[in-house]
Amino acid sequence: FDYRSHGDNRQLQDAAILSLENLLVDTLRVFTHCTTKYKHAQFIVLGHSMGGCIASRFGLIVQNKTALKKRIAGLLVLDMVETSALESLQFMETQVSIRPRHFATIDHAIEWSIYSKYIRNINSAKISIPSQIRQEQFDADNNGWGWRMDLKKSIEYWREWFIGHNQAFIAIQLPKLLILSSGNRLDKDICGAVCQRKFRVDIMRDVGHIFHEDDPVQTADCLRKFLRETNLLVAQT
């Protein structure tokens, strides 16, 4: 789902306050709605990057709530390891600052995403980039497209998103899978847990950070294998 200030989310009150607490409250609200609407269903929680931190924290919270505990069947985290995430913080603000603030058209935004390797799959970019931008008036004479979310406004929350992620992910007693874009992201905590066979780590090939968009087929293969190994994949009749 789209968090506040993202995609098609239309929340106006406190929309830019992306604290860990607020994001967890939003997640619980969506999850409660889903469990009410689909009364007999179980759910797999999946998050990418910062969303992976929220997914792990949320899974740990639900694990301690008797009423909701049985509604989660598994946890999937994409390209999030605490140590590498914290190490990258010193570069993140610079990366945000150098990306274009405005685009003349949606097509120009899509072209930029491919040229900069923000996304490496043109078909994915055509789907995801339009949801990340919105039409704006730059000045009295020029209209164009700007980022829907001003990432600089969330800087104060970046560390709290990441700190404690490894501990939460490892502690969750659910079938779980960590998929990474590179083996270089592995740290001591994750390697130790993998050696103890607490979960499996899959490493993608020839992709960037947003690898589920770069190579959806390879990502789907990892997910399918995990679902089959954990008996979470239900055969269609």
Side-chain angles (χ1 to χ4, degrees):
F1 67 93
D2 293 333
Y3 280 112
R4 58 182 70 193
S5 294
H6 290 74
D8 290 328
N9 190 303
R10 293 295 179 261
Q11 178 174 333
L12 298 177
Q13 184 177 357
D14 297 333
I17 302 180
L18 297 173
S19 65
L20 177 62
E21 180 181 4
N22 277 352
L23 297 179
L24 286 171
V25 168
D26 292 347
T27 305
L28 182 59
R29 185 179 296 121
V30 172
F31 185 72
T32 301
H33 168 78
C34 291
T35 56
T36 301
K37 184 174 181 180
Y38 304 100
K39 297 184 181 299
H40 304 293
Q42 283 189 302
F43 299 86
I44 294 174
V45 179
L46 183 152
H48 169 259
S49 193
M50 179 272 283
C53 295
I54 305 304
S56 293
R57 296 315 210 306
F58 176 72
L60 199 58
I61 290 172
V62 172
Q63 185 171 274
N64 296 319
K65 290 181 176 291
T66 303
L68 295 176
K69 182 177 180 179
K70 294 182 179 180
R71 304 302 299 274
I72 293 186
L75 172 66
L76 301 170
V77 170
L78 311 185
D79 221 28
M80 172 48 58
V81 174
E82 181 178 338
T83 301
S84 60
L86 289 172
E87 289 174 349
S88 70
L89 287 179
Q90 59 183 314
F91 310 109
M92 284 177 62
E93 188 172 354
T94 300
Q95 291 300 314
V96 170
S97 298
I98 64 176
R99 72 177 186 174
R101 294 180 57 193
H102 306 294
F103 302 96
T105 66
I106 293 177
D107 285 343
H108 286 170
I110 293 170
E111 290 171 3
W112 169 83
S113 74
I114 297 299
Y115 177 77
S116 65
K117 295 186 178 180
Y118 175 63
I119 300 173
R120 306 184 184 190
N121 183 322
I122 185 65
N123 293 321
S124 296
K126 288 178 179 179
I127 296 171
S128 66
I129 290 297
S131 69
Q132 298 179 47
I133 57 178
R134 62 184 175 188
Q135 197 161 23
E136 294 180 344
Q137 185 169 3
F138 303 150
D139 52 47
D141 301 315
N142 295 296
N143 293 324
W145 298 82
W147 297 103
R148 185 177 298 277
M149 172 62 193
D150 184 354
L151 289 176
K152 286 187 176 182
K153 291 183 178 180
S154 69
I155 288 176
E156 63 181 293
Y157 307 115
W158 288 358
R159 290 190 65 84
E160 72 175 64
W161 291 344
F162 301 141
I163 292 176
H165 162 71
N166 279 5
Q167 182 179 0
F169 182 75
I170 293 170
I172 293 172
Q173 297 176 5
L174 287 169
K176 54 195 172 186
L177 173 66
L178 175 63
I179 309 178
L180 300 176
S181 60
S182 169
N184 294 332
R185 292 184 179 272
L186 290 168
D187 62 14
K188 181 179 179 181
D189 291 339
I190 296 299
C191 286
V194 171
C195 289
Q196 296 175 42
R197 298 186 177 182
K198 291 186 176 181
F199 55 87
R200 194 180 79 244
V201 174
D202 283 352
I203 309 297
M204 300 281 284
R205 304 179 306 277
D206 303 320
V207 293
H209 176 53
I210 312 180
F211 58 70
H212 51 292
E213 296 191 28
D214 292 346
D215 194 336
V217 173
Q218 188 182 170
T219 305
D221 287 342
C222 291
L223 300 184
R224 187 183 301 111
K225 182 179 179 181
F226 166 75
L227 294 175
R228 284 177 174 164
E229 289 178 347
T230 54
N231 296 317
L232 294 176
L233 186 64
V234 178
Q236 298 294 317
T237 59

